[in-house]
Amino acid sequence: MSVSLCSFVSPKSGLNSVFLPVDKSFPSLLPNKPVGQTKAYMYVDSIYTKTRLETYGLKREVFYNAFKGYEYLLSKGMLDKTNLLTIIDYSQSSTQKRLYVIDLASGRVLYNTYVSHGQRSGKEFATSFSNVDESHKSSLGFIVTGSPYRGGSGYSLHLKGVEPGINDHIYRRNIVMHGSHYVNEKRADESELGRSFGCPAVPYGQQYDIINTIKNGSCVFIWAPDNHYQMASKILNAAFEWPALKGGKAQQFPDLLPPALNNTTENNKLPVQPSTNNKG
């Protein structure tokens, strides 16, 4: 199995100022209200349907969780680029195109391509994750993108994990997005997709367009059906008022909003969707 090395440089971007705010309203346990009964669910489902994410292989529950976290970061003023949501779905095989860059404003998938995981996170599937230096494992959770730079792996993108204890060390671990010759369709067909030291590497050549699109303050969500992450993530389990559903305010995506949601904002808290295929 080929391994693509990650870039190792001294952090210099302004990402050190990005932190998850302290929020005492976090519940201690996962909400148990069925997600399908919430107005937030209907709202997100309308976006999922219009964007045709099912045809790209992204499951509804993954998008629900990603969009909730996006709304949370938006509500805390942590995003400078508010129309984009990038999802890396490690529940999928590395032989599948499991990276999605979504333009929420237009309802389009801008990029859908291959992405690597850490060499110690697993082989074909990523099943083990870490926030520890030199673990050579991927981290899960919500990330804010930083500035691009040129390093040992060429054109790369700084990433800042905003979930303490889950991914807040990825910046100092030099976990970045970069291009790799070992991440491509041919390798995927041969089930020999290269693995990194934890970096989400994309096919070489595609990194330029992807990085230039998502750089400087957009939301990235890295997901896998991991029990610890689902229980520990304060973002997935947060109760808050979504910016997109606040009353008396123009909706961000009025063309996607179902008519039943136009005049009400109650019951707009989306609980994490429990997985039926947890890896532990």
Side-chain angles (χ1 to χ4, degrees), residues 54-72:
E54 185 175 13
T55 66
Y56 289 90
L58 185 67
K59 294 180 180 179
R60 277 182 171 84
E61 68 175 69
V62 179
F63 183 66
Y64 297 153
N65 291 336
F67 194 86
K68 178 181 180 179
Y70 157 82
E71 282 288 310
Y72 181 83

Side-chain angles (χ1 to χ4, degrees), residues 36 41 57 69 91 126 136 177 195 205 211 217 265-266:
Y41 171 90
S91 71
H136 294 183
M177 180 176 285
R195 290 173 291 138
I211 288 174
T265 61
E266 295 180 0

Side-chain angles (χ1 to χ4, degrees), residues 82-94:
T82 61
N83 65 310
L84 296 175
L85 173 57
T86 299
I87 301 173
I88 296 174
D89 182 11
Y90 281 149
S91 71
Q92 298 184 42
S93 163
S94 58

Side-chain angles (χ1 to χ4, degrees), residues 14-26:
L15 278 174
N16 284 325
S17 62
V18 182
F19 296 102
L20 183 65
V22 175
D23 194 333
K24 295 183 179 180
S25 67
F26 290 134

Side-chain angles (χ1 to χ4, degrees), residues 43 67 71 74 242-246 249-253 257:
Y43 177 71
F67 194 86
E71 282 288 310
L74 197 63
W242 291 26
L245 298 178
K246 285 186 177 180
K249 183 178 179 180
Q251 305 299 330
Q252 288 179 298
F253 318 110
L257 193 62

Side-chain angles (χ1 to χ4, degrees), residues 128-145:
S128 181
F129 306 94
S130 178
N131 193 36
V132 177
D133 296 357
E134 305 300 328
S135 66
H136 294 183
K137 292 184 179 182
S138 299
S139 295
L140 299 177
F142 289 93
I143 291 166
V144 176
T145 62

